[in-house]
Amino acid sequence: MMGSHVAEQFCEIDRLRAQLMNNVDVTTAGRSEVEVSHREILTRIESVIFGIVTSLSREEVPVLALPNRTSWANVRDIYYKNTQLFGSQTTVDSIVDDISCLLKVPRRSLHVLATSKGLISGELCYLEEDGTRVDCRGCSNAVAVSSNIAGIRNIVSSAKFVLIVEKDATFQRLLDCDFCSQLFPCIMVTGKGVPDVNSRLMVRKLWDMLRIPIFALVDADPHGIEIMCIYKYGSVAMSFEAHSLTVPSVMWLGLLPSDIQRMQVPKDALIQLTKRDESKLSSLLKRPYISSQPDWRTEMELMQKVMVKAELQSLDAIAPDFLTSIYLPNKLRYGGWI
């Protein structure tokens, strides 16, 4: 009887995985990143320098043809050593991104690695490039996402799915109730809000290696939706690297605007959309990829209509353990994702 219950519990998730595997050639064909050799990178740098020198020898103004790296169509120690020169870390990031785009290589190929802010926990073990074994299982404290995702190898996992969690507070709550091992064997990742590059690379690495469903758990507000879109479609600032930073198979698990109405979340737990929220929502609805997600559009238009948003914590107004004991288990068991 126990085996039958477990099989039923994961029936919808297994069905989704089968669908993803059938479509894998369509969704990821040509998307895996080809590592650029050091020699090739040097050749590209020399080519740029040669072009500058040639222009100067002809008494012409050198021109660098920089591709547009902020187009949806494409979908940090340096600062501390030169603080007076660069002014801010943001300036350094922008310059490095421009150089990466110019050379058509990811910034990590230039050996510019940033410290990760993301966390990971759950049914996962792997080796770092230096041979360090990382065990994410049964940790009351999550493991920091690696700063060198490309160096990760020997991934071992029995997880049924990956759960992207928008906020660190929600992530810690799921960690405290041992969600990954007691309820569902899974891997949880959080970028603590807007994800850094390493958190996005980690999610992509898990998809490439495990080919299991990836769900997003975000607040039912424009900011949460945008964060989910970054994992699935990429950000405009890093659109030139979208092919290696995104996972098109990401599914929206919750919190859905329709869930708010269906579960009759108390009105005093809801928040009115601000003018900024309205502007962000309108902007999201205009993005080209939303046209291929009619269910997402319907949810966003519902939010636009009722003019309210809700954080995941609003479910506490129904019951203190509603999120972990009722909402997520039922969503995962009965396929409540879009």
Side-chain angles (χ1 to χ4, degrees):
M1 292 296 291
M2 180 62 71
S4 176
H5 174 72
V6 172
E8 182 182 356
Q9 187 178 30
F10 298 120
C11 178
E12 292 298 325
I13 294 176
D14 289 339
R15 184 178 292 117
L16 174 61
R17 185 184 186 189
Q19 292 173 351
L20 293 174
M21 293 303 292
N22 287 335
N23 296 330
V24 70
D25 290 336
V26 177
T27 58
T28 60
R31 294 176 55 83
S32 58
E33 184 178 359
V34 178
E35 191 69 26
V36 182
S37 68
H38 294 169
R39 182 178 295 276
E40 175 60 23
I41 293 174
L42 287 175
T43 299
R44 295 182 187 185
I45 293 174
E46 289 169 355
S47 177
V48 172
I49 295 174
F50 180 76
I52 293 173
V53 172
T54 300
S55 295
L56 291 174
S57 67
R58 296 173 179 171
E59 298 186 350
E60 299 174 353
V61 177
V63 175
L64 294 178
L66 182 66
N68 182 4
R69 66 176 177 87
T70 58
S71 169
W72 287 118
N74 296 332
V75 180
R76 311 204 185 179
D77 279 345
I78 298 174
Y79 163 65
Y80 293 103
K81 294 177 182 176
N82 303 276
T83 54
Q84 292 184 338
L85 173 63
F86 294 113
S88 72
Q89 180 65 52
T90 302
T91 302
V92 174
D93 287 339
S94 181
I95 292 172
V96 172
D97 287 341
D98 282 339
I99 294 173
S100 298
C101 190
L102 176 66
L103 299 177
K104 295 182 174 59
V105 296
R107 58 187 291 163
R108 52 200 170 276
S109 292
L110 302 176
H111 298 283
V112 180
L113 301 177
T115 301
S116 300
K117 68 168 185 170
L119 298 173
I120 187 167
S121 181
E123 295 297 309
L124 176 69
C125 295
Y126 59 85
L127 292 180
E128 293 274 14
E129 188 173 37
D130 62 1
T132 301
R133 184 175 184 268
V134 179
D135 191 344
C136 305
R137 300 170 299 180
C139 298
S140 56
N141 295 316
V143 176
V145 170
S146 173
S147 295
N148 182 14
I149 305 299
I152 291 177
R153 64 185 191 277
N154 293 10
I155 291 178
V156 178
S157 176
S158 60
K160 286 286 187 178
F161 59 90
V162 175
L163 183 65
I164 297 169
V165 184
E166 175 192 352
K167 291 181 175 178
D168 184 40
T170 305
F171 181 88
Q172 294 298 333
R173 184 173 178 181
L174 295 174
L175 205 61
D176 290 342
C177 75
D178 207 8
F179 181 81
C180 286
S181 58
Q182 286 195 6
L183 297 177
F184 294 92
C186 68
I187 299 167
M188 295 194 306
V189 179
T190 181
K192 298 183 179 180
V194 178
D196 58 357
V197 170
N198 289 325
S199 296
R200 294 165 62 186
L201 284 170
M202 190 71 200
V203 173
R204 177 57 192 260
K205 183 85 169 186
L206 293 173
W207 165 247
D208 285 340
M209 300 305 294
L210 302 177
R211 287 292 195 259
I212 55 178
I214 299 178
F215 300 117
L217 183 65
V218 300
D219 288 338
D221 63 21
H223 185 68
I225 294 172
E226 182 169 48
I227 286 173
M228 176 174 58
C229 288
I230 289 174
Y231 284 104
K232 187 177 179 74
Y233 296 109
S235 63
V236 69
M238 297 286 289
S239 61
F240 70 100
E241 276 199 70
H243 65 284
S244 62
L245 290 173
T246 59
V247 181
S249 61
V250 169
M251 307 294 287
W252 188 358
L253 182 65
L255 180 63
L256 303 180
S258 60
D259 289 339
I260 300 171
Q261 293 188 340
R262 181 174 54 83
M263 297 182 300
Q264 298 182 339
V265 177
K267 290 185 178 180
D268 58 2
L270 305 179
I271 307 169
Q272 287 289 319
L273 291 182
T274 64
K275 292 293 183 183
R276 186 175 182 179
D277 289 330
E278 292 181 56
S279 177
K280 173 67 70 177
L281 190 55
S282 297
S283 174
L284 285 167
L285 284 165
K286 292 175 183 176
R287 293 187 182 176
Y289 52 72
I290 294 298
S291 61
S292 64
Q293 293 290 336
D295 292 336
W296 285 29
R297 173 176 286 278
T298 298
E299 293 290 336
M300 293 162 67
E301 289 175 343
L302 175 60
M303 183 187 297
Q304 200 172 46
K305 178 182 178 182
V306 299
M307 289 294 291
V308 294
K309 59 184 180 179
E311 298 180 336
L312 284 160
Q313 287 82 353
S314 67
L315 300 181
D316 293 347
I318 302 175
D321 62 345
F322 190 82
L323 173 66
T324 56
S325 298
I326 300 174
Y327 182 74
L328 287 176
N330 282 316
K331 277 273 189 171
L332 292 164
R333 181 173 183 178
Y334 299 110
W337 51 77
I338 59 174

